């Protein structure tokens, strides 16, 4: 096919043979080089005979099937056709393809195709040989149909005939229509023959039912043949009526001929001169002559009667001759007609033999297809049997899974009861810690313990980098340690600093004299190493919580909600107010910021970083008030904000990471921050931390009422949170002995220990047959999922992620 720049439409006629249809489409796709080609698939339903329907039990007359069944069969055939056409469309791939169904009705398919070429202006038409054969039923009729389309199509249409995925050619030679392949081999022939009046079906009816055939023959004759037939029938009836008379006449004619031959002519005997004796008298002679005359007259009368009879016989003979001649002509016409009928019957017999051969071929094909279907049915039956067995096996496994699930539910209930017990223990420990803290705060003396250098070094593991929490450059380092089974933070001053022993002792004395719930408590000190021991704040500094680079990511401290932020502000305000009202002299922080606010495990805020100050003046107090104002703004916005925030702009910059702020509380908190930053009361008085503390307590009370009333659902930030950084707070059985990390998919090995599936599989894959824990030979390499441990880990992680920082 020639390549075209514009859209090229190729019409392809495909029959119901799916394999041949795919071969025809493959030939079209192989020979269409244009990218803008559109393939229109022509499909005509096989409507050879609607008198019968084909069912699984055989062929049945249409009249014996009800309309509902006929509709179901039609829907089945239509669904089957749609499936075949959908496969054709999918086979075309990226090439655009459409379906055009041909409504055949009563017209012949070759005439419909010629009209379709003219109406649709088809320039390229590809026809499969099987497209014509199912529709015309006979292979030779299909060939003649193709030649009819080839001869009658318009000149602008280019016809391609494909058979078996190859191009074939239509050629007329020696009065025959021949189809040849590319190498010249003959595929089929189609001889031209006269149009028959009767088909194979009529021939069978003529043979089986001659009376019906004669009746149809008389009804199909023309008027002229009817009139000639009536004349012939009239002559035949006349012959039947006069046949006995003619036979009688022939027998009489034979007998009269014999009598005539035997008898002498009496008139000849009479006219002979009579012999008279000489001794007769004249009178006697006259009497004898008179007698002779009378005898002659009698003979004449007799001859007249005979002549009349002869004339009558001659007329009758002529009538018989005419009747016999017409009978002979009638018989000759009948003989000629029978000869023509015989030739016609011989032609029909040849056609019937050809059709019978085609039917036998089709029966063989159907039988082969039926055998393949039966084979497929046997395969499907075996697959159904296998499926039934698999279903039974699956049902057994399902029952086992149900029993396992029941056991797991029971295990979960046991774990929940254990969890409740653990919760009660945690509450008891919290109450115990609170009582101990209250006792410690209620002691009248604030004496601190002095630790030795060996104790400090042992607590910090010789000041290892792993234990270091914070580096202060060349001045200080902060280490995490454990003294007397208590977590502590140890602040170590570098030897290179110019801190004198007197200054160090003065700072120790100052810090040991301060005890407040919201100021970091000093536990002890070491003069030899110049280090101070403080209580350990698990959740670190407020700055890390507020200003993390990725606040939405999973980290140690979860984002603070608005309720926790208000509590932190109130607690810091209470600590500053305590310092400013200290006796005998007030104390000031001077450098208040989120970095100097530490949070314990319950997010309780405490101030640290107090230093001895030579003066306790008003500017220092103002610095703390202004620093608190900046801290409140940073808690509201979640940003490192410095300066005043207008009320109108405050709503747009509120920190929404930890939840939506109640606007009234946010506005009140913003007013407090603005007053602190401007350092003035409404009446122009100097703003003090005691005033700010009273306002903060009011805001805190309102916030607690909002949470208690359920107006804004918030989680209690004071609950116990499992620390991710602290491996000692994680149950040891959650760790994989190989990876030393929390397990995600624990499996039990033959030694009875649980491992991460990936770790133990890699252990076994490398050829290790010994237990990683006991160093004994493993009895087998089977791994069993530890569902109970996995549930415990999952529940622990959910609780850890649900609890606030």
């Amino acid at each position: 096919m020639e390549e075209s720049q514009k859209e090229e439409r190729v019409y392809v006629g495909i029959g119901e043979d799916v394999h041949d249809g795919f071969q025809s489409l493959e030939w079209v796709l192989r020979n269409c080089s244009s990218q803008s080609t559109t393939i229109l698939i022509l499909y005509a339903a096989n409507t050879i005979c609607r008198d019968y329907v084909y069912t699984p039990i055989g062929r049945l007359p249409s009249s014996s099937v009800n309309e509902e069944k006929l509709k179901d069969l039609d829907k089945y055939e239509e669904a089957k056709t749609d499936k075949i056409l959908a496969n054709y469309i999918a086979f075309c791939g990226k090439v655009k393809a459409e379906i055009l169904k041909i409504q055949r009705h009563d017209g012949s398919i070759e005439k419909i195709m010629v009209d379709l070429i003219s109406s649709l202006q088809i320039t390229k038409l590809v026809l499969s040989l099987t497209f014509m054969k199912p529709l015309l039923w006979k292979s030779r009729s299909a060939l003649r149909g193709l030649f009819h389309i080839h001869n009658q199509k318009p000149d602008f249409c280019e016809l391609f005939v494909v058979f078996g995925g190859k191009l074939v050619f239509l050629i007329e030679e020696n009065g025959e229509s021949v189809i040849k392949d590319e190498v010249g081999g003959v595929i089929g022939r189609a001889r031209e023959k006269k149009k028959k009046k009767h088909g194979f079906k009529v021939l069978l009816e003529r043979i089986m039912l001659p009376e019906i055939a004669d009746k149809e023959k008389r009804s199909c004759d023309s008027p002229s043949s009817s009139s000639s037939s009536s004349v012939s029938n009239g002559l035949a009836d006349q012959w039947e009526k006069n046949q006995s008379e003619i036979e009688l006449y022939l027998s009489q004619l034979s007998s009269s001929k014999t009598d005539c031959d035997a008898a002498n002519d009496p008139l000849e005997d009479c006219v002979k001169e009579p012999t008279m004796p000489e001794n007769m008298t004249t009178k006697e002679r006259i009497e004898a002559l008179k007698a002779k005359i009378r005898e002659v007259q009698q003979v004449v009368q007799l001859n007249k009667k005979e002549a009349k009879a002869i004339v009558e016989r001659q007329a009758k003979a002529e009538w018989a001759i005419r009747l016999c001649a017409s009978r002979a002509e009638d018989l000759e016409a009948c003989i000629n007609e029978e000869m023509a009928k015989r030739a016609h019957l011989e032609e029909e017999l040849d056609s019937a033999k050809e059709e019978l051969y085609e039917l036998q071929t089709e029966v063989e094909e159907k039988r082969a297809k039926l055998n393949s279907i039966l084979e497929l049915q046997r395969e499907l039956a075996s697959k159904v049997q296998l499926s039934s067995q698999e279903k039974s096996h699956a049902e057994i496994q399902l029952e086992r899974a149900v029993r396992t699930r029941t056991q797991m539910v029971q295990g979960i209930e046991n774990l929940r009861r254990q969890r409740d017990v653990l919760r009660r223990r945690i509450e008891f420990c919290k109450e115990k810690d609170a009582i101990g803290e209250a006792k410690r705060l209620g002691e009248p003396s604030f004496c601190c313990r002095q630790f030795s250098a060996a104790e400090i070094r042992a607590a910090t593991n010789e000041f290892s980098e792993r234990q270091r929490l914070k580096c202060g450059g060349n001045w200080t380092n902060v280490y995490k340690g454990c003294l007397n089974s208590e977590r502590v933070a140890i602040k170590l001053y570098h030897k290179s600093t110019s801190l004198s022993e007197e200054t160090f002792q003065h700072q120790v004395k100052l810090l040991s004299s301060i005890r407040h719930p919201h100021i970091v408590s000093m536990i002890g000190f070491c003069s030899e190493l110049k280090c101070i021991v403080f209580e350990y704040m698990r959740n670190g500094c407020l700055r890390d919580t507020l200003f993390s680079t990725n606040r939405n990511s999973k980290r140690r401290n979860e984002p603070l909600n608005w309720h926790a932020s208000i509590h932190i502000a109130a607690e810091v305000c209470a600590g500053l107010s305590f310092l400013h009202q200290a006796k005998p002299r007030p104390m000031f922080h001077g450098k208040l910021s989120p970095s100097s606010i530490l949070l314990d495990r319950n997010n309780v805020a405490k101030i640290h970083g107090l230093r001895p100050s030579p003066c306790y003046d008003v500017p220092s107090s103002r610095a703390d008030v202004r620093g608190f104002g900046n801290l409140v703004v940073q808690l509201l916005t979640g940003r490192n904000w410095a300066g005043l925030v207008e009320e109108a702009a405050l709503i747009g910059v509120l920190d929404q990471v930890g939840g939506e702020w109640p606007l009234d509380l946010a506005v009140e908190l913003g007013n407090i921050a603005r007053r602190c930053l401007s350092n003035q009361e409404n009446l122009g008085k100097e703003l003090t931390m005691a005033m700010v503390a009273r306002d903060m307590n009011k805001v805190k009370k309102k916030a607690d009422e909002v949470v208690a009333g359920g107006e804004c659902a918030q989680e209690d930030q004071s609950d116990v949170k499992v620390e991710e950084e602290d491996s000692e707070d994680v149950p040891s059985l959650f760790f994989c002995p190989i990876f030393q990390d929390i397990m995600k998919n624990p499996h039990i090995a033959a030694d009875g220990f649980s491992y991460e599936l990936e770790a133990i599989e890699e252990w076994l894959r490398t050829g290790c047959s010994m237990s990683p824990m006991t160093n004994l030979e493993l009895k087998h390499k089977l791994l069993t999922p530890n569902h109970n441990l996995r549930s415990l880990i999952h529940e622990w992680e959910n609780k850890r992620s649900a609890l606030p920082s």
Side-chain angles (χ1 to χ4, degrees), residues 231-263:
V231 173
S232 301
N233 291 337
L235 294 174
D237 294 340
Q238 186 177 1
W239 173 263
E240 292 294 335
K241 292 179 181 178
N242 298 322
Q243 184 177 3
S244 59
E245 186 178 353
I246 290 174
E247 291 176 356
L248 179 61
Y249 167 72
L250 289 176
S251 62
Q252 290 177 355
L253 185 62
S254 298
S255 61
S256 61
K257 183 178 180 182
T258 304
D259 294 339
C260 289
D261 291 338

mmCIF file of all heavy atoms in Angstrom, residues 231-263:
data_model
loop_
_atom_site.group_PDB
_atom_site.id
_atom_site.type_symbol
_atom_site.label_atom_id
_atom_site.label_comp_id
_atom_site.label_asym_id
_atom_site.label_seq_id
_atom_site.Cartn_x
_atom_site.Cartn_y
_atom_site.Cartn_z
ATOM 1 N N VAL A 231 -53.289 -27.721 -23.670
ATOM 2 C CA VAL A 231 -53.588 -28.298 -24.997
ATOM 3 C C VAL A 231 -53.104 -29.720 -25.062
ATOM 4 O O VAL A 231 -53.803 -30.628 -25.541
ATOM 5 C CB VAL A 231 -52.929 -27.426 -26.100
ATOM 6 C CG1 VAL A 231 -53.081 -28.098 -27.431
ATOM 7 C CG2 VAL A 231 -53.561 -26.063 -26.104
ATOM 8 N N SER A 232 -51.841 -29.917 -24.499
ATOM 9 C CA SER A 232 -51.311 -31.283 -24.514
ATOM 10 C C SER A 232 -52.170 -32.199 -23.669
ATOM 11 O O SER A 232 -52.429 -33.346 -24.055
ATOM 12 C CB SER A 232 -49.873 -31.272 -23.997
ATOM 13 O OG SER A 232 -49.076 -30.441 -24.797
ATOM 14 N N ASN A 233 -52.647 -31.683 -22.568
ATOM 15 C CA ASN A 233 -53.521 -32.502 -21.721
ATOM 16 C C ASN A 233 -54.829 -32.826 -22.441
ATOM 17 O O ASN A 233 -55.390 -33.913 -22.289
ATOM 18 C CB ASN A 233 -53.796 -31.769 -20.414
ATOM 19 C CG ASN A 233 -52.535 -31.699 -19.541
ATOM 20 O OD1 ASN A 233 -51.634 -32.518 -19.700
ATOM 21 N ND2 ASN A 233 -52.492 -30.724 -18.643
ATOM 22 N N GLY A 234 -55.335 -31.834 -23.265
ATOM 23 C CA GLY A 234 -56.572 -32.088 -24.022
ATOM 24 C C GLY A 234 -56.390 -33.171 -25.064
ATOM 25 O O GLY A 234 -57.235 -34.055 -25.231
ATOM 26 N N LEU A 235 -55.240 -33.102 -25.778
ATOM 27 C CA LEU A 235 -54.957 -34.161 -26.763
ATOM 28 C C LEU A 235 -54.781 -35.497 -26.084
ATOM 29 O O LEU A 235 -55.238 -36.533 -26.598
ATOM 30 C CB LEU A 235 -53.701 -33.794 -27.556
ATOM 31 C CG LEU A 235 -53.835 -32.563 -28.460
ATOM 32 C CD1 LEU A 235 -52.488 -32.222 -29.077
ATOM 33 C CD2 LEU A 235 -54.865 -32.809 -29.562
ATOM 34 N N ALA A 236 -54.150 -35.486 -24.934
ATOM 35 C CA ALA A 236 -53.977 -36.760 -24.225
ATOM 36 C C ALA A 236 -55.315 -37.327 -23.792
ATOM 37 O O ALA A 236 -55.554 -38.540 -23.909
ATOM 38 C CB ALA A 236 -53.063 -36.534 -23.023
ATOM 39 N N ASP A 237 -56.214 -36.464 -23.333
ATOM 40 C CA ASP A 237 -57.543 -36.952 -22.942
ATOM 41 C C ASP A 237 -58.307 -37.493 -24.153
ATOM 42 O O ASP A 237 -58.991 -38.521 -24.055
ATOM 43 C CB ASP A 237 -58.325 -35.813 -22.283
ATOM 44 C CG ASP A 237 -57.679 -35.392 -20.958
ATOM 45 O OD1 ASP A 237 -56.897 -36.206 -20.389
ATOM 46 O OD2 ASP A 237 -57.941 -34.261 -20.496
ATOM 47 N N GLN A 238 -58.183 -36.785 -25.307
ATOM 48 C CA GLN A 238 -58.878 -37.253 -26.526
ATOM 49 C C GLN A 238 -58.336 -38.597 -26.967
ATOM 50 O O GLN A 238 -59.087 -39.482 -27.402
ATOM 51 C CB GLN A 238 -58.695 -36.222 -27.647
ATOM 52 C CG GLN A 238 -59.490 -36.536 -28.905
ATOM 53 C CD GLN A 238 -59.327 -35.450 -29.948
ATOM 54 O OE1 GLN A 238 -58.613 -34.485 -29.719
ATOM 55 N NE2 GLN A 238 -59.976 -35.611 -31.086
ATOM 56 N N TRP A 239 -57.014 -38.754 -26.850
ATOM 57 C CA TRP A 239 -56.408 -40.047 -27.217
ATOM 58 C C TRP A 239 -56.895 -41.146 -26.288
ATOM 59 O O TRP A 239 -57.202 -42.248 -26.745
ATOM 60 C CB TRP A 239 -54.888 -39.918 -27.159
ATOM 61 C CG TRP A 239 -54.178 -41.231 -27.361
ATOM 62 C CD1 TRP A 239 -53.697 -42.056 -26.437
ATOM 63 C CD2 TRP A 239 -53.949 -41.882 -28.623
ATOM 64 N NE1 TRP A 239 -53.145 -43.160 -26.966
ATOM 65 C CE2 TRP A 239 -53.276 -43.086 -28.346
ATOM 66 C CE3 TRP A 239 -54.239 -41.538 -29.949
ATOM 67 C CZ2 TRP A 239 -52.880 -43.964 -29.342
ATOM 68 C CZ3 TRP A 239 -53.830 -42.420 -30.933
ATOM 69 C CH2 TRP A 239 -53.158 -43.619 -30.649
ATOM 70 N N GLU A 240 -57.015 -40.853 -25.011
ATOM 71 C CA GLU A 240 -57.488 -41.863 -24.075
ATOM 72 C C GLU A 240 -58.922 -42.267 -24.393
ATOM 73 O O GLU A 240 -59.291 -43.435 -24.293
ATOM 74 C CB GLU A 240 -57.379 -41.330 -22.642
ATOM 75 C CG GLU A 240 -55.953 -41.131 -22.136
ATOM 76 C CD GLU A 240 -55.205 -42.429 -21.995
ATOM 77 O OE1 GLU A 240 -55.864 -43.476 -21.827
ATOM 78 O OE2 GLU A 240 -53.959 -42.406 -22.059
ATOM 79 N N LYS A 241 -59.736 -41.282 -24.748
ATOM 80 C CA LYS A 241 -61.137 -41.586 -25.048
ATOM 81 C C LYS A 241 -61.289 -42.420 -26.326
ATOM 82 O O LYS A 241 -62.129 -43.321 -26.391
ATOM 83 C CB LYS A 241 -61.928 -40.292 -25.194
ATOM 84 C CG LYS A 241 -62.074 -39.529 -23.890
ATOM 85 C CD LYS A 241 -62.849 -38.236 -24.123
ATOM 86 C CE LYS A 241 -62.977 -37.435 -22.830
ATOM 87 N NZ LYS A 241 -63.690 -36.159 -23.044
ATOM 88 N N ASN A 242 -60.537 -42.122 -27.400
ATOM 89 C CA ASN A 242 -60.694 -42.789 -28.708
ATOM 90 C C ASN A 242 -59.730 -43.926 -28.900
ATOM 91 O O ASN A 242 -59.666 -44.502 -29.998
ATOM 92 C CB ASN A 242 -60.493 -41.783 -29.845
ATOM 93 C CG ASN A 242 -61.537 -40.661 -29.791
ATOM 94 O OD1 ASN A 242 -62.701 -40.919 -29.479
ATOM 95 N ND2 ASN A 242 -61.149 -39.450 -30.114
ATOM 96 N N GLN A 243 -58.930 -44.227 -27.863
ATOM 97 C CA GLN A 243 -57.940 -45.285 -28.041
ATOM 98 C C GLN A 243 -58.610 -46.624 -28.321
ATOM 99 O O GLN A 243 -58.196 -47.367 -29.220
ATOM 100 C CB GLN A 243 -57.059 -45.357 -26.787
ATOM 101 C CG GLN A 243 -55.923 -46.372 -26.917
ATOM 102 C CD GLN A 243 -55.030 -46.383 -25.693
ATOM 103 O OE1 GLN A 243 -55.315 -45.670 -24.744
ATOM 104 N NE2 GLN A 243 -53.963 -47.176 -25.735
ATOM 105 N N SER A 244 -59.673 -46.947 -27.608
ATOM 106 C CA SER A 244 -60.363 -48.242 -27.816
ATOM 107 C C SER A 244 -61.034 -48.293 -29.193
ATOM 108 O O SER A 244 -61.010 -49.318 -29.889
ATOM 109 C CB SER A 244 -61.406 -48.460 -26.715
ATOM 110 O OG SER A 244 -62.345 -47.395 -26.727
ATOM 111 N N GLU A 245 -61.560 -47.115 -29.592
ATOM 112 C CA GLU A 245 -62.213 -47.071 -30.916
ATOM 113 C C GLU A 245 -61.197 -47.248 -32.043
ATOM 114 O O GLU A 245 -61.456 -47.940 -33.030
ATOM 115 C CB GLU A 245 -62.944 -45.743 -31.069
ATOM 116 C CG GLU A 245 -63.785 -45.658 -32.346
ATOM 117 C CD GLU A 245 -64.537 -44.346 -32.431
ATOM 118 O OE1 GLU A 245 -64.502 -43.589 -31.431
ATOM 119 O OE2 GLU A 245 -65.139 -44.086 -33.464
ATOM 120 N N ILE A 246 -60.016 -46.624 -31.843
ATOM 121 C CA ILE A 246 -58.970 -46.764 -32.865
ATOM 122 C C ILE A 246 -58.488 -48.196 -32.915
ATOM 123 O O ILE A 246 -58.279 -48.768 -34.007
ATOM 124 C CB ILE A 246 -57.823 -45.799 -32.561
ATOM 125 C CG1 ILE A 246 -58.273 -44.354 -32.797
ATOM 126 C CG2 ILE A 246 -56.606 -46.107 -33.415
ATOM 127 C CD1 ILE A 246 -57.274 -43.332 -32.389
ATOM 128 N N GLU A 247 -58.359 -48.825 -31.776
ATOM 129 C CA GLU A 247 -57.942 -50.229 -31.789
ATOM 130 C C GLU A 247 -58.978 -51.108 -32.470
ATOM 131 O O GLU A 247 -58.646 -52.023 -33.234
ATOM 132 C CB GLU A 247 -57.693 -50.681 -30.346
ATOM 133 C CG GLU A 247 -56.472 -50.027 -29.701
ATOM 134 C CD GLU A 247 -56.313 -50.410 -28.254
ATOM 135 O OE1 GLU A 247 -57.210 -51.120 -27.747
ATOM 136 O OE2 GLU A 247 -55.292 -50.019 -27.614
ATOM 137 N N LEU A 248 -60.250 -50.806 -32.207
ATOM 138 C CA LEU A 248 -61.322 -51.567 -32.859
ATOM 139 C C LEU A 248 -61.309 -51.348 -34.373
ATOM 140 O O LEU A 248 -61.471 -52.281 -35.172
ATOM 141 C CB LEU A 248 -62.690 -51.157 -32.280
ATOM 142 C CG LEU A 248 -63.921 -51.847 -32.870
ATOM 143 C CD1 LEU A 248 -63.849 -53.377 -32.649
ATOM 144 C CD2 LEU A 248 -65.200 -51.294 -32.253
ATOM 145 N N TYR A 249 -61.028 -50.063 -34.752
ATOM 146 C CA TYR A 249 -60.985 -49.743 -36.196
ATOM 147 C C TYR A 249 -59.834 -50.475 -36.861
ATOM 148 O O TYR A 249 -59.979 -51.000 -37.981
ATOM 149 C CB TYR A 249 -60.830 -48.224 -36.360
ATOM 150 C CG TYR A 249 -60.475 -47.818 -37.764
ATOM 151 C CD1 TYR A 249 -61.420 -47.887 -38.799
ATOM 152 C CD2 TYR A 249 -59.183 -47.399 -38.064
ATOM 153 C CE1 TYR A 249 -61.055 -47.521 -40.085
ATOM 154 C CE2 TYR A 249 -58.824 -47.026 -39.335
ATOM 155 C CZ TYR A 249 -59.769 -47.080 -40.358
ATOM 156 O OH TYR A 249 -59.421 -46.716 -41.625
ATOM 157 N N LEU A 250 -58.710 -50.560 -36.183
ATOM 158 C CA LEU A 250 -57.568 -51.261 -36.774
ATOM 159 C C LEU A 250 -57.867 -52.742 -36.956
ATOM 160 O O LEU A 250 -57.505 -53.347 -37.979
ATOM 161 C CB LEU A 250 -56.347 -51.052 -35.886
ATOM 162 C CG LEU A 250 -55.744 -49.647 -35.877
ATOM 163 C CD1 LEU A 250 -54.609 -49.560 -34.876
ATOM 164 C CD2 LEU A 250 -55.260 -49.265 -37.269
ATOM 165 N N SER A 251 -58.534 -53.318 -35.938
ATOM 166 C CA SER A 251 -58.855 -54.748 -36.068
ATOM 167 C C SER A 251 -59.869 -54.982 -37.183
ATOM 168 O O SER A 251 -59.758 -55.937 -37.969
ATOM 169 C CB SER A 251 -59.383 -55.282 -34.735
ATOM 170 O OG SER A 251 -60.580 -54.600 -34.371
ATOM 171 N N GLN A 252 -60.863 -54.082 -37.317
ATOM 172 C CA GLN A 252 -61.846 -54.206 -38.397
ATOM 173 C C GLN A 252 -61.193 -54.014 -39.753
ATOM 174 O O GLN A 252 -61.520 -54.703 -40.739
ATOM 175 C CB GLN A 252 -62.960 -53.173 -38.202
ATOM 176 C CG GLN A 252 -63.865 -53.457 -37.012
ATOM 177 C CD GLN A 252 -64.903 -52.371 -36.829
ATOM 178 O OE1 GLN A 252 -64.860 -51.365 -37.549
ATOM 179 N NE2 GLN A 252 -65.810 -52.598 -35.877
ATOM 180 N N LEU A 253 -60.259 -53.054 -39.796
ATOM 181 C CA LEU A 253 -59.585 -52.783 -41.070
ATOM 182 C C LEU A 253 -58.784 -53.991 -41.518
ATOM 183 O O LEU A 253 -58.768 -54.337 -42.709
ATOM 184 C CB LEU A 253 -58.671 -51.552 -40.904
ATOM 185 C CG LEU A 253 -57.969 -51.052 -42.160
ATOM 186 C CD1 LEU A 253 -59.010 -50.604 -43.200
ATOM 187 C CD2 LEU A 253 -57.040 -49.908 -41.847
ATOM 188 N N SER A 254 -58.158 -54.661 -40.554
ATOM 189 C CA SER A 254 -57.376 -55.844 -40.909
ATOM 190 C C SER A 254 -58.294 -56.980 -41.427
ATOM 191 O O SER A 254 -58.011 -57.634 -42.431
ATOM 192 C CB SER A 254 -56.595 -56.331 -39.692
ATOM 193 O OG SER A 254 -55.709 -55.347 -39.275
ATOM 194 N N SER A 255 -59.437 -57.145 -40.751
ATOM 195 C CA SER A 255 -60.339 -58.231 -41.164
ATOM 196 C C SER A 255 -61.013 -57.919 -42.484
ATOM 197 O O SER A 255 -61.198 -58.789 -43.355
ATOM 198 C CB SER A 255 -61.383 -58.475 -40.074
ATOM 199 O OG SER A 255 -62.159 -57.301 -39.878
ATOM 200 N N SER A 256 -61.418 -56.638 -42.733
ATOM 201 C CA SER A 256 -62.089 -56.265 -43.994
ATOM 202 C C SER A 256 -61.122 -56.377 -45.162
ATOM 203 O O SER A 256 -61.507 -56.741 -46.272
ATOM 204 C CB SER A 256 -62.623 -54.833 -43.896
ATOM 205 O OG SER A 256 -61.554 -53.930 -43.690
ATOM 206 N N LYS A 257 -59.857 -56.133 -44.912
ATOM 207 C CA LYS A 257 -58.875 -56.272 -45.984
ATOM 208 C C LYS A 257 -58.747 -57.727 -46.384
ATOM 209 O O LYS A 257 -58.658 -58.075 -47.571
ATOM 210 C CB LYS A 257 -57.530 -55.717 -45.508
ATOM 211 C CG LYS A 257 -56.453 -55.758 -46.574
ATOM 212 C CD LYS A 257 -55.163 -55.152 -46.040
ATOM 213 C CE LYS A 257 -54.090 -55.221 -47.150
ATOM 214 N NZ LYS A 257 -52.816 -54.698 -46.680
ATOM 215 N N THR A 258 -58.834 -58.581 -45.411
ATOM 216 C CA THR A 258 -58.743 -60.014 -45.710
ATOM 217 C C THR A 258 -59.961 -60.494 -46.502
ATOM 218 O O THR A 258 -59.858 -61.254 -47.481
ATOM 219 C CB THR A 258 -58.627 -60.805 -44.412
ATOM 220 O OG1 THR A 258 -57.496 -60.310 -43.679
ATOM 221 C CG2 THR A 258 -58.434 -62.285 -44.668
ATOM 222 N N ASP A 259 -61.143 -59.994 -46.128
ATOM 223 C CA ASP A 259 -62.370 -60.389 -46.831
ATOM 224 C C ASP A 259 -62.382 -59.864 -48.263
ATOM 225 O O ASP A 259 -62.861 -60.563 -49.194
ATOM 226 C CB ASP A 259 -63.613 -59.852 -46.079
ATOM 227 C CG ASP A 259 -63.740 -60.525 -44.714
ATOM 228 O OD1 ASP A 259 -63.157 -61.630 -44.533
ATOM 229 O OD2 ASP A 259 -64.392 -59.933 -43.822
ATOM 230 N N CYS A 260 -61.919 -58.689 -48.438
ATOM 231 C CA CYS A 260 -61.904 -58.096 -49.790
ATOM 232 C C CYS A 260 -60.974 -58.858 -50.700
ATOM 233 O O CYS A 260 -61.233 -59.012 -51.913
ATOM 234 C CB CYS A 260 -61.485 -56.621 -49.735
ATOM 235 S SG CYS A 260 -62.755 -55.561 -49.006
ATOM 236 N N ASP A 261 -59.882 -59.280 -50.112
ATOM 237 C CA ASP A 261 -58.929 -60.035 -50.915
ATOM 238 C C ASP A 261 -59.515 -61.388 -51.307
ATOM 239 O O ASP A 261 -59.277 -61.905 -52.420
ATOM 240 C CB ASP A 261 -57.613 -60.226 -50.136
ATOM 241 C CG ASP A 261 -56.874 -58.906 -49.966
ATOM 242 O OD1 ASP A 261 -57.115 -57.973 -50.758
ATOM 243 O OD2 ASP A 261 -56.023 -58.780 -49.003
ATOM 244 N N ALA A 262 -60.336 -61.942 -50.439
ATOM 245 C CA ALA A 262 -60.875 -63.289 -50.701
ATOM 246 C C ALA A 262 -62.107 -63.272 -51.616
ATOM 247 O O ALA A 262 -62.348 -64.185 -52.414
ATOM 248 C CB ALA A 262 -61.225 -63.967 -49.387
ATOM 249 N N ALA A 263 -62.987 -62.224 -51.543
ATOM 250 C CA ALA A 263 -64.254 -62.196 -52.297
ATOM 251 C C ALA A 263 -64.034 -61.632 -53.707
ATOM 252 O O ALA A 263 -63.192 -60.787 -53.912
ATOM 253 C CB ALA A 263 -65.276 -61.358 -51.548
#
